[in-house]
Amino acid sequence: MTNEVFSVLDDDGNVLHPEHEPTIAPEDLLRIYRGMLLVRLMDERMLRLQRQGRLGFYMTSTGEEATHFGGAYPLRDSDWIFPSYREPGAAFWRGYGLREFICQLMGNAEDPIKGRQMPVHHSVRRINYVSISSPVGTQIPQAVGVAHAAKIRKRDDVALVYFGEGGTSTGAFHVALNFAGVFKLPVIFFCRNNGWAISTARERQTAARTFAAKAVAYGLPGVRVDGNDVLAIVSVMNQALARARGGAGATLIEAVTYRRGAHSSSDDPSVYRDPSEPKKWEHHDPIGRFQRYLERRGLMTAQLQKQLQEEIGGQITAALKSAEAVPGKPPIETMFADVFAHVPPHLLEQLEQLQQAPRSESTHH
Amino acid sequence: MTNEVFSVLDDDGNVLHPEHEPTIAPEDLLRIYRGMLLVRLMDERMLRLQRQGRLGFYMTSTGEEATHFGGAYPLRDSDWIFPSYREPGAAFWRGYGLREFICQLMGNAEDPIKGRQMPVHHSVRRINYVSISSPVGTQIPQAVGVAHAAKIRKRDDVALVYFGEGGTSTGAFHVALNFAGVFKLPVIFFCRNNGWAISTARERQTAARTFAAKAVAYGLPGVRVDGNDVLAIVSVMNQALARARGGAGATLIEAVTYRRGAHSSSDDPSVYRDPSEPKKWEHHDPIGRFQRYLERRGLMTAQLQKQLQEEIGGQITAALKSAEAVPGKPPIETMFADVFAHVPPHLLEQLEQLQQAPRSESTHH
Amino acid sequence: MPVMNMIQAVNDALKLEMRRDDRVVVLGEDIGKFGGVFRATSGLYEEFGADRVIDTPLAEAGIIGSAIGMALYGLRPVPEIQFADFIYPAYDQIVNELAKFRYRSGGQYAAPVVIRTPYGGGIRGGHYHSQSPEAYFVHTPGLKVVIPSNPYDAKGLLLSAIRDEDPILFMEPKRIYRAARGEVPEDDYTVPLGKAHLVRAGTQVTVLAYGAMLHVVGEATEKLVEQGLDPEVIDLRTLLPLDTETVIESVKKTGRAVVVHEAPRTCGFGAELSALIMEKAFLHLEAPVARVTGFDTPFPYTLENEYLPDAARIADAIRRTVEY
Amino acid sequence: MPVMNMIQAVNDALKLEMRRDDRVVVLGEDIGKFGGVFRATSGLYEEFGADRVIDTPLAEAGIIGSAIGMALYGLRPVPEIQFADFIYPAYDQIVNELAKFRYRSGGQYAAPVVIRTPYGGGIRGGHYHSQSPEAYFVHTPGLKVVIPSNPYDAKGLLLSAIRDEDPILFMEPKRIYRAARGEVPEDDYTVPLGKAHLVRAGTQVTVLAYGAMLHVVGEATEKLVEQGLDPEVIDLRTLLPLDTETVIESVKKTGRAVVVHEAPRTCGFGAELSALIMEKAFLHLEAPVARVTGFDTPFPYTLENEYLPDAARIADAIRRTVEY
Ligand SMILES: Cc1ncc(C[n+]2csc(CCOP(=O)(O)OP(=O)(O)O)c2C)c(N)n1
Ligand SMILES: Cc1ncc(C[n+]2csc(CCOP(=O)(O)OP(=O)(O)O)c2C)c(N)n1
Ligand SMILES: [Mg+2]
Ligand SMILES: [Mg+2]
């Protein structure tokens, strides 16, 4: 088990290891770039919205965008993604709409999940992007179950599950990786080590030298990859996918990156970390690096970049407008639907009680 | 991390590594031998009792006795032991009485824990032998808490916690070792790898090459020791204790042994394992090996051995007689005591209701 | 018709459904080669193989967590928790994940997992092999809770449960695993969820129970009937969704009710039944709804028989309620 | 007397007790340097240092499991679970270990751990930042459950809790963490556990509530009083052990009762109160005990205000009960 972090690009976008440079079609390279830019711009806009009181809550991924696309790009559409709350790019990559995304944040009448969860808890079944829940780590054994089912059904689908380094401290992480090892399951454990779990520094999370090292405890390979280098991530993902589809089992990937923003819109990092730390990481910005790489390859120009920015900005504005134009909240019937496949008598009765009850001003329907 | 299992003695009791042979006073060597013999004979007798229907349930440690004494002997009396259900020897070593032991098994009026738990769930506070519970693994984070408290109070007490290899699959194991690593706590994790968790073979428990290897995930040293060689166990325990008291933190010990008997008196191993397997392990019997070692050192003779057997047998018989002579069960008041420090009104009321209620024949007081 | 005990009925249902529907898999500790510590899954490993009869490592959170994933993928997992007392390591997966998946995803995802687990006292198991945690799950929106009291229902309810679209706690009263015997059709049949069963029609008082307590209630009412009383006895079978109509109609008729369960009294399911009856049949009540339950202590070992509701305590409560 | 909000009162109690008793330590996620996501522990790290104010890894089972060990050793740990919604990974340690330690060891060992956790809705937290799981713990023999509704009680009850010999769930209604303000003595005082508080004496109906609901009940009763009704309002403060005497005496006087809580209705604490009142005051009841509660669904996000009992629903239930 080594401490070394695998990179393909340096901070200037030079290829360090041509032999490891994944072969990606130019149009895909541009789609990946565009996706990372979208996440960056969406985060800026939504955070501003939240500050203005137009959104209840938000979480940004600034500086970690490469993990979204480096993880999602190498997958087949039939593969499953179990995200945490910090990988919206993986959904955009598979076609999650900007308007749907914003409607979820607003929990409005067109929220795909009917206003049931807080902002950033997306669920997009049509693209195998599984419902996000707040409890840290719970998705990890579930992804293992999907991989187990795929193996039982003799299909070669793979499950990719994201979690932060804080998630490795949960019991769920342990039982999940142990099952994956014992049953040799086609699952990829993607640990975004962004250095912080709210105010808790990485050193306080574990005394293990690396998070990748934890793979040993389950008889799995563990790799450390530069989480701000999308090409490096694609390359280790390709290896993990080959292993998984080849029946050799699971892989634990530790993507070393950094949470440049606050944990969430409710958080204030200045209380617990030195502002120079996030500053430092700006020099390893995953988008900037990749952009310089594309420029070197003649695929990107300052002008094209500017054009993309404007285009994406325009799309966000349009989606936001349209989402904010959605009238009203989900109807109160939705509060009692989907608890079960069919609404049982006691919930029908409670719905009626609510419909007949007088309401305080604050809560008129 | 190595696969190698550390031994001091070979099966004939020859010293393989004189440099590792711990220095133990002859009278202690004999006490250890006597203790292992006591556990062996007690198990035989209690299992027979259970078969005769005079005990509701029992669990034996046959073949694993060295782990009880190798773990307990090197400790100070002020150190804490968190046992599972398969280390009664560690309690005997510290002075748990045969009669108390049997009264607990019977849950009679003199059961030290007032008939509250199934047989083999002992609790002996005066010797820091902590209350045993059935759920596998729960004691591990508790032992870590004791070690944490000792460190906070700046005392050099150490916590020793026993669990089977099946226990390493629980979330409790994971969070416990992770806390111990992060806080550098004086705790020793003693994994009795006896090959089986009821019907589940060691290979089905984890894909890790060894259980000791799991220490890496927590930044802890992990050692594999011959679980049937009490001297080897004492020697690795001494190192772990030095580490712990020296402030260097925790150690994970994997004692490689074998569960020769059934999981419990309710179990029938013939359904799931080849009878030749336990047979094979009889050749590595921890008592036989240690006996031959003592003979070589001139501390044991066939005659002394026979004498010890008879002496212990007599003590068990006497304790059993006296325990079986205890009249009746704990009074029904005990059912409502110790739920809280003081019996609250609703429990007093329930006690009265029970006292006034008519009882079916089966349950007259 | 063959006579079976509860274990055989459960085993028969699993075999039947695994033959009928290849999406059904079972997983848990010691359930494969060994056939389960209570033998409920015996023979399944031999017939359906290691792919569908899965011996897991010792981790309830892993069992339920991966069962959820299997269900999301389209399988019909029927995990076993060896004893209900050991279900708590999986509690987060059950109450925060399994129960909420359909709701939180706006109906996109469903996790039809049927968790089988032996529960209850009467086997001298002390407080880690005797618990009755049903109320924890009844209080958790999104879960159904089913408890059979006899072999016929055990098979029919389990088949309904596995074919249901919702996550279900299927709690098996281990105390009567072998003691409860009865005729069970060999072929496929279901007993509907959400429907109580009228065990004895009566006029003076409604006795509500489920699981092993039905048999103790039977003992009690038998004596009372000999003495000329006329109790009505209802086996709830499904705790959630509850067959409120049957319960309330009965109480409106009798004007009296006694609720029986093994679990501790405070905030037990009996509290819900009592509150519900008051809300829906207040003007018919001629006596307070009586609760005969386990006491508010951990489950004891030696005094198990004192802890558990027995025929005498139940008969006494029924008589007092009738004479109130 | 200084005016404090709930957070300040909790913080003040922790500071005071940590100064008074060096066995008291606090541990949890983000509670140290950061002072807790709700700032309840702010300043403690600076005053008492890393030994007694312990930032832990992200593992509730580790937090509670090690807190149990610390208590066994003689410390007085006060762990924080960041949100009650995240307490379930520690559920096994709480219900199978913490709650049973004294009992199962025949009284040899005690684990006086006070688990502080913010709970309840009203902060637009959706179903993983709004839950009210008190009934799970009330149903678990061996645990005490305490819920303050104002800063004065928060400090006095927390001091009593930390000095108590038993394990306690101390649930803090986060919705009123800042909204609820009041005079709080700077010095040491306690509010006894197991004693309810008469908020308003009345004659027509007894309204039982706890936590944030007290304030909504206040809104409701204010209007009703203007309209000439005379409700009695009781703040339970301790759910277990319950101050049954105060509750029953009041209902015997008024003959009517309304129970209010945020948690789902089925098997919620309201069910226990309703059942208890029927058992102990049946002949005094002139109306069925009414329950105004959260609905039996996971806690929604957008429709939070529809989900939570509001003044109008509570007033309506009180009026119907009085007019029954
Ligand atoms: C079981 C659980 N405990 C606590 C929380 C509160 N919480 C939300 S996010 C978070 C930190 C997660 O850090 P990490 O896993 O590193 O992910 P990151 O936020 O860095 O992406 C915590 C403690 C939670 N959501 N779930
Ligand atoms: C959480 C939990 N799950 C299941 C059980 C049932 N059970 C009791 S012992 C046991 C096997 C334990 O094996 P191991 O940890 O290797 O200890 P050993 O019995 O071999 O000493 C199981 C599954 C339990 N007691 N607790
Ligand atoms: Mg992180
Ligand atoms: Mg074992």
Side-chain angles (χ1 to χ4, degrees):
Chain A
M1 188 55 53
T2 156
N3 274 356
E4 230 180 67
V5 176
F6 171 76
S7 300
V8 168
L9 298 177
D10 67 15
D11 286 338
D12 298 327
N14 300 303
V15 177
L16 297 167
H17 307 289
E19 69 279 18
H20 292 309
E21 181 180 3
T23 42
I24 304 176
E27 58 272 28
D28 283 344
L29 289 170
L30 286 173
R31 272 190 66 211
I32 291 171
Y33 176 81
R34 193 186 191 290
M36 293 201 282
L37 197 57
L38 166 60
V39 172
R40 180 70 54 95
L41 298 175
M42 180 66 89
D43 281 350
E44 286 170 3
R45 195 79 73 86
M46 294 302 114
L47 193 59
R48 217 174 318 130
L49 224 63
Q50 194 279 335
R51 294 276 172 259
Q52 297 163 351
R54 288 154 72 191
L55 267 188
F57 175 84
Y58 193 69
M59 297 177 89
T60 63
S61 310
T62 307
E64 303 181 50
E65 297 89 348
T67 61
H68 306 187
F69 296 88
Y73 164 75
L75 300 177
R76 296 181 189 158
D77 292 348
S78 51
D79 294 328
W80 287 52
I81 297 177
F82 279 81
S84 83
Y85 43 72
R86 219 183 287 283
E87 304 89 12
F92 290 137
W93 177 259
R94 289 184 163 196
Y96 191 36
L98 274 52
R99 185 174 184 280
E100 304 172 274
F101 176 88
I102 297 172
C103 285
Q104 193 286 323
L105 300 182
M106 297 181 161
N108 63 24
E110 292 187 32
D111 170 3
I113 61 167
K114 308 178 186 173
R116 299 262 174 75
Q117 287 213 80
M118 282 177 83
V120 313
H121 290 66
H122 304 279
S123 178
V124 199
R125 180 164 193 183
R126 70 174 190 278
I127 55 171
N128 287 324
Y129 188 84
V130 179
S131 168
I132 297 164
S133 80
S134 310
V136 166
T138 49
Q139 73 276 25
I140 311 176
Q142 294 163 11
V144 166
V146 160
H148 205 149
K151 182 172 186 173
I152 291 169
R153 299 304 254 178
K154 309 216 176 347
R155 308 221 191 95
D156 65 353
D157 297 336
V158 172
L160 170 69
V161 56
Y162 284 104
F163 47 89
E165 86 289 347
T168 64
S169 296
T170 63
F173 168 85
H174 179 66
V175 300
L177 273 75
N178 198 44
F179 273 52
V182 166
F183 297 111
K184 268 189 178 297
L185 301 177
V187 53
I188 298 172
F189 300 103
F190 197 110
C191 174
R192 275 184 305 93
N193 172 9
N194 62 7
W196 293 91
I198 305 185
S199 76
T200 308
R202 171 260 174 272
E203 296 66 35
R204 178 47 62 102
Q205 211 55 251
T206 187
R209 275 159 66 234
T210 71
F211 290 93
K214 292 176 179 285
V216 175
Y218 313 104
L220 301 177
V223 281
R224 291 191 96 196
V225 63
D226 183 336
N228 291 21
D229 178 350
V230 71
L231 294 184
I233 298 170
V234 167
S235 145
V236 298
M237 276 292 299
N238 282 334
Q239 293 167 35
L241 279 165
R243 246 182 80 78
R245 292 204 216 280
T251 301
L252 170 61
I253 294 173
E254 174 188 358
V256 180
T257 178
Y258 188 82
R259 196 197 80 209
R260 272 157 55 186
H263 169 70
S264 76
S265 55
S266 321
D267 178 39
D268 171 14
S270 69
V271 183
Y272 55 79
R273 78 180 178 188
D274 179 343
S276 69
E277 206 180 84
K279 263 252 149 294
K280 200 188 86 231
W281 277 84
E282 288 176 14
H283 305 305
H284 314 297
D285 184 57
I287 299 179
R289 269 164 92 172
F290 191 53
Q291 182 175 329
R292 288 185 279 283
Y293 165 79
L294 293 177
E295 285 164 359
R296 283 208 168 60
R297 288 201 41 184
L299 294 167
M300 181 60 56
T301 63
Q303 193 229 352
L304 174 55
Q305 204 278 343
K306 192 165 167 305
Q307 182 191 318
L308 276 176
Q309 277 214 338
E310 283 161 6
E311 183 186 310
I312 293 169
Q315 288 169 351
I316 293 174
T317 307
L320 178 56
K321 249 205 162 78
S322 153
E324 280 189 320
V326 173
K329 324 182 204 175
I332 63 168
E333 291 71 19
T334 62
M335 192 159 80
F336 300 89
D338 302 324
V339 180
F340 297 102
H342 310 286
V343 185
H346 69 287
L347 287 179
L348 284 173
E349 181 184 327
Q350 291 181 16
L351 169 59
E352 278 166 26
Q353 289 169 354
L354 177 57
Q355 284 165 327
Q356 286 153 19
R359 308 295 297 158
S360 302
E361 302 59 40
S362 63
T363 57
H364 48 67
H365 310 131
Chain B
M1 188 55 53
T2 158
N3 272 356
E4 231 180 68
V5 176
F6 171 76
S7 298
V8 167
L9 297 178
D10 68 13
D11 286 339
D12 296 328
N14 301 303
V15 176
L16 297 166
H17 306 290
E19 70 279 20
H20 292 308
E21 181 181 3
T23 43
I24 303 176
E27 59 272 27
D28 284 344
L29 288 169
L30 285 173
R31 273 189 65 212
I32 290 171
Y33 177 82
R34 192 185 192 289
M36 293 202 280
L37 197 58
L38 165 61
V39 172
R40 180 69 54 93
L41 297 175
M42 180 66 86
D43 281 351
E44 286 169 4
R45 194 79 73 86
M46 293 302 114
L47 192 60
R48 217 177 315 134
L49 224 62
Q50 194 279 336
R51 294 274 173 261
Q52 298 163 350
R54 289 156 70 192
L55 266 188
F57 175 85
Y58 194 69
M59 297 176 91
T60 63
S61 312
T62 307
E64 304 180 51
E65 296 88 348
T67 62
H68 306 187
F69 297 88
Y73 165 73
L75 299 177
R76 297 180 188 158
D77 292 347
S78 51
D79 294 328
W80 288 53
I81 297 178
F82 279 80
S84 84
Y85 43 73
R86 218 183 288 281
E87 304 90 12
F92 290 138
W93 177 259
R94 289 184 163 196
Y96 192 34
L98 275 52
R99 184 176 185 277
E100 302 172 275
F101 176 90
I102 298 174
C103 285
Q104 193 286 324
L105 301 181
M106 297 179 161
N108 63 23
E110 293 188 31
D111 170 4
I113 60 166
K114 309 179 186 175
R116 299 260 174 76
Q117 288 212 79
M118 284 176 80
V120 312
H121 290 65
H122 305 277
S123 178
V124 198
R125 179 165 194 182
R126 70 173 189 278
I127 56 170
N128 287 325
Y129 187 84
V130 180
S131 169
I132 297 165
S133 80
S134 309
V136 167
T138 49
Q139 73 278 24
I140 312 176
Q142 294 164 10
V144 167
V146 160
H148 205 149
K151 183 172 186 172
I152 291 168
R153 299 303 254 179
K154 309 216 169 359
R155 306 220 192 96
D156 66 351
D157 297 337
V158 172
L160 169 69
V161 57
Y162 283 104
F163 48 90
E165 86 290 347
T168 64
S169 296
T170 63
F173 168 85
H174 180 67
V175 300
L177 273 73
N178 198 45
F179 273 51
V182 165
F183 297 110
K184 270 190 177 295
L185 301 177
V187 53
I188 298 172
F189 301 103
F190 197 111
C191 173
R192 278 184 304 93
N193 173 8
N194 62 8
W196 293 91
I198 304 186
S199 76
T200 307
R202 172 257 174 273
E203 296 66 34
R204 178 46 62 102
Q205 211 56 250
T206 187
R209 277 158 66 233
T210 72
F211 290 94
K214 291 177 181 283
V216 176
Y218 313 104
L220 301 177
V223 283
R224 294 190 93 197
V225 63
D226 183 337
N228 291 20
D229 177 349
V230 71
L231 294 184
I233 297 171
V234 167
S235 142
V236 298
M237 275 292 298
N238 282 335
Q239 293 167 35
L241 279 165
R243 246 183 80 78
R245 292 203 216 280
T251 302
L252 171 60
I253 295 174
E254 173 187 359
V256 181
T257 178
Y258 188 81
R259 197 196 79 209
R260 271 156 56 184
H263 169 69
S264 76
S265 55
S266 321
D267 178 39
D268 171 13
S270 70
V271 183
Y272 55 80
R273 77 179 180 189
D274 179 342
S276 71
E277 207 180 83
K279 263 249 149 298
K280 200 188 86 230
W281 277 83
E282 289 177 13
H283 305 305
H284 314 297
D285 183 57
I287 299 179
R289 267 164 94 172
F290 190 53
Q291 181 175 331
R292 287 185 280 282
Y293 164 79
L294 293 177
E295 285 165 358
R296 284 207 165 61
R297 288 200 42 183
L299 294 167
M300 181 58 57
T301 63
Q303 192 230 349
L304 174 55
Q305 204 278 342
K306 190 162 169 305
Q307 182 190 319
L308 276 177
Q309 279 217 339
E310 283 161 6
E311 183 185 308
I312 294 168
Q315 289 169 348
I316 294 174
T317 307
L320 178 57
K321 250 209 164 79
S322 151
E324 280 189 318
V326 173
K329 325 183 208 177
I332 64 167
E333 291 70 19
T334 62
M335 189 157 81
F336 299 89
D338 302 325
V339 180
F340 297 102
H342 310 287
V343 185
H346 69 288
L347 286 180
L348 285 174
E349 180 183 330
Q350 290 180 17
L351 169 59
E352 278 166 27
Q353 288 169 354
L354 178 55
Q355 283 166 326
Q356 286 153 18
R359 307 296 297 158
S360 301
E361 303 59 40
S362 62
T363 58
H364 46 67
H365 309 131
Chain C
M1 230 187 300
V3 169
M4 300 186 188
N5 63 27
M6 295 276 281
I7 286 284
Q8 293 164 326
V10 165
N11 185 263
D12 194 52
L14 291 171
K15 275 208 180 98
L16 190 149
E17 197 62 4
M18 288 182 80
R19 286 177 190 147
R20 203 186 67 83
D21 182 350
D22 71 355
R23 299 171 307 162
V24 178
V25 302
V26 297
L27 63 156
E29 294 155 11
D30 308 297
I31 60 122
K33 291 200 204 67
F34 189 43
V37 295
F38 289 103
R39 333 289 307 124
T41 55
S42 70
L44 300 183
Y45 182 86
E46 292 69 14
E47 179 170 351
F48 303 102
D51 266 7
R52 294 179 61 197
V53 183
I54 305 161
D55 275 317
T56 69
L58 203 170
E60 287 72 18
I63 293 167
I64 302 304
S66 57
I68 291 172
M70 291 175 178
L72 295 175
Y73 194 83
L75 299 185
R76 290 302 181 113
V78 185
E80 172 181 295
I81 297 297
Q82 202 165 78
F83 285 83
D85 315 64
F86 306 137
I87 202 167
Y88 308 120
Y91 204 70
D92 193 35
Q93 285 290 339
I94 295 171
V95 308
N96 260 347
E97 297 291 320
L98 181 62
K100 296 175 170 57
F101 235 105
R102 186 187 295 273
Y103 196 77
R104 82 179 196 216
S105 66
Q108 291 177 14
Y109 288 97
V113 172
V114 177
I115 302 173
R116 286 186 46 250
T117 189
Y119 85 99
I123 63 158
R124 300 190 58 65
H127 49 287
Y128 294 116
H129 295 80
S130 308
Q131 295 175 38
S132 298
E134 64 272 15
Y136 293 142
F137 302 106
V138 171
H139 184 54
T140 305
L143 299 176
K144 293 178 176 175
V145 180
V146 177
I147 303 181
S149 70
N150 62 70
Y152 181 91
D153 286 351
K155 177 175 176 179
L157 287 169
L158 184 51
L159 287 171
S160 292
I162 300 174
R163 295 168 192 181
D164 196 77
E165 296 304 314
D166 296 311
I168 294 173
L169 263 287
F170 192 85
M171 301 176 64
E172 303 169 0
K174 56 175 150 0
R175 170 188 192 171
I176 54 170
Y177 259 158
R178 291 190 166 68
R181 301 172 53 77
E183 292 200 327
V184 175
E186 269 168 300
D187 50 4
D188 187 341
Y189 69 93
T190 58
V191 171
L193 306 184
K195 292 264 160 285
H197 174 235
L198 180 67
V199 176
R200 180 185 193 281
T203 57
Q204 293 176 307
V205 54
T206 301
V207 183
L208 302 169
Y210 48 92
M213 283 298 106
L214 254 297
H215 301 263
V216 189
V217 166
E219 245 186 274
T221 48
E222 213 173 280
K223 290 206 189 66
L224 294 172
V225 170
E226 286 165 14
Q227 297 161 18
L229 268 71
D230 185 24
E232 178 149 304
V233 179
I234 294 174
D235 179 353
L236 296 176
R237 296 200 295 201
T238 300
L239 275 56
L240 198 123
L242 179 69
D243 185 352
T244 309
E245 193 182 342
T246 299
V247 170
I248 298 305
E249 283 319 305
S250 172
V251 177
K252 282 183 175 170
K253 181 180 70 179
T254 63
R256 295 174 155 85
V258 174
V259 180
V260 183
H261 61 65
E262 299 180 36
R265 178 171 309 166
T266 298
C267 259
F269 190 61
E272 179 58 35
L273 290 170
S274 181
L276 204 63
I277 289 168
M278 169 149 53
E279 283 161 8
K280 297 187 179 299
F282 183 71
L283 295 178
H284 298 77
L285 279 180
E286 291 160 29
V289 177
R291 291 186 282 176
V292 186
T293 69
F295 297 105
D296 288 326
T297 78
F299 199 101
Y301 174 69
T302 306
L303 297 177
E304 167 169 70
N305 293 335
E306 287 70 14
Y307 182 88
L308 287 169
D310 63 8
R313 254 169 74 200
I314 294 170
D316 184 53
I318 295 175
R319 180 173 292 292
R320 286 165 185 269
T321 303
V322 170
E323 292 168 357
Y324 188 88
Chain D
M1 234 188 296
V3 170
M4 299 187 190
N5 63 28
M6 296 276 281
I7 286 284
Q8 293 164 325
V10 166
N11 184 262
D12 193 52
L14 291 171
K15 277 210 179 99
L16 189 150
E17 196 61 5
M18 289 182 79
R19 286 175 190 149
R20 204 186 66 85
D21 182 350
D22 71 354
R23 299 170 307 162
V24 178
V25 301
V26 298
L27 63 157
E29 294 155 12
D30 308 297
I31 59 121
K33 290 197 204 69
F34 188 44
V37 296
F38 289 103
R39 333 288 308 122
T41 54
S42 70
L44 299 183
Y45 182 86
E46 291 69 14
E47 179 171 352
F48 303 102
D51 266 7
R52 294 178 62 195
V53 183
I54 305 161
D55 275 315
T56 68
L58 204 170
E60 287 71 19
I63 293 167
I64 303 303
S66 56
I68 292 172
M70 291 175 179
L72 295 176
Y73 194 81
L75 298 186
R76 289 302 179 114
V78 185
E80 171 181 297
I81 297 296
Q82 201 165 81
F83 285 84
D85 315 63
F86 306 136
I87 202 168
Y88 308 121
Y91 204 70
D92 193 36
Q93 285 290 340
I94 296 171
V95 307
N96 260 348
E97 297 291 318
L98 181 60
K100 296 175 170 58
F101 235 105
R102 186 188 294 272
Y103 196 77
R104 82 180 195 214
S105 65
Q108 290 177 12
Y109 287 97
V113 173
V114 177
I115 302 174
R116 285 186 46 252
T117 189
Y119 86 100
I123 64 157
R124 301 191 54 68
H127 50 287
Y128 294 116
H129 295 80
S130 308
Q131 293 175 37
S132 299
E134 64 272 16
Y136 292 142
F137 302 106
V138 170
H139 185 54
T140 304
L143 299 176
K144 292 178 176 175
V145 180
V146 177
I147 302 182
S149 71
N150 60 71
Y152 181 90
D153 285 351
K155 177 175 176 179
L157 287 169
L158 184 51
L159 286 172
S160 292
I162 300 175
R163 296 169 191 179
D164 197 77
E165 296 305 313
D166 295 311
I168 294 173
L169 262 288
F170 191 84
M171 300 175 64
E172 303 169 359
K174 56 175 154 347
R175 170 190 193 170
I176 55 171
Y177 258 159
R178 290 188 169 67
R181 302 172 53 77
E183 292 201 326
V184 175
E186 270 169 298
D187 51 1
D188 186 343
Y189 69 93
T190 59
V191 171
L193 305 185
K195 291 264 161 284
H197 173 235
L198 180 67
V199 176
R200 182 187 191 283
T203 57
Q204 291 176 309
V205 55
T206 302
V207 183
L208 302 169
Y210 49 92
M213 282 298 107
L214 252 297
H215 301 263
V216 190
V217 165
E219 244 187 275
T221 48
E222 213 173 279
K223 290 205 190 66
L224 293 172
V225 170
E226 287 165 12
Q227 297 160 19
L229 268 71
D230 185 24
E232 177 149 302
V233 179
I234 293 174
D235 179 352
L236 296 176
R237 296 199 297 201
T238 300
L239 275 55
L240 199 123
L242 179 70
D243 185 352
T244 310
E245 193 182 341
T246 298
V247 170
I248 297 304
E249 284 318 304
S250 172
V251 176
K252 282 184 175 169
K253 181 180 72 180
T254 63
R256 295 173 157 85
V258 174
V259 181
V260 183
H261 60 65
E262 299 178 37
R265 178 173 310 167
T266 297
C267 260
F269 190 60
E272 178 58 34
L273 290 169
S274 181
L276 205 63
I277 289 168
M278 170 152 52
E279 283 162 8
K280 297 188 179 297
F282 183 71
L283 295 178
H284 299 76
L285 280 180
E286 289 160 28
V289 177
R291 291 186 281 176
V292 186
T293 68
F295 297 106
D296 288 324
T297 77
F299 198 101
Y301 174 70
T302 306
L303 297 177
E304 165 168 73
N305 292 336
E306 286 71 12
Y307 181 88
L308 287 169
D310 62 9
R313 254 169 75 201
I314 294 170
D316 183 55
I318 293 174
R319 179 172 294 289
R320 287 164 185 268
T321 301
V322 170
E323 291 168 357
Y324 188 88

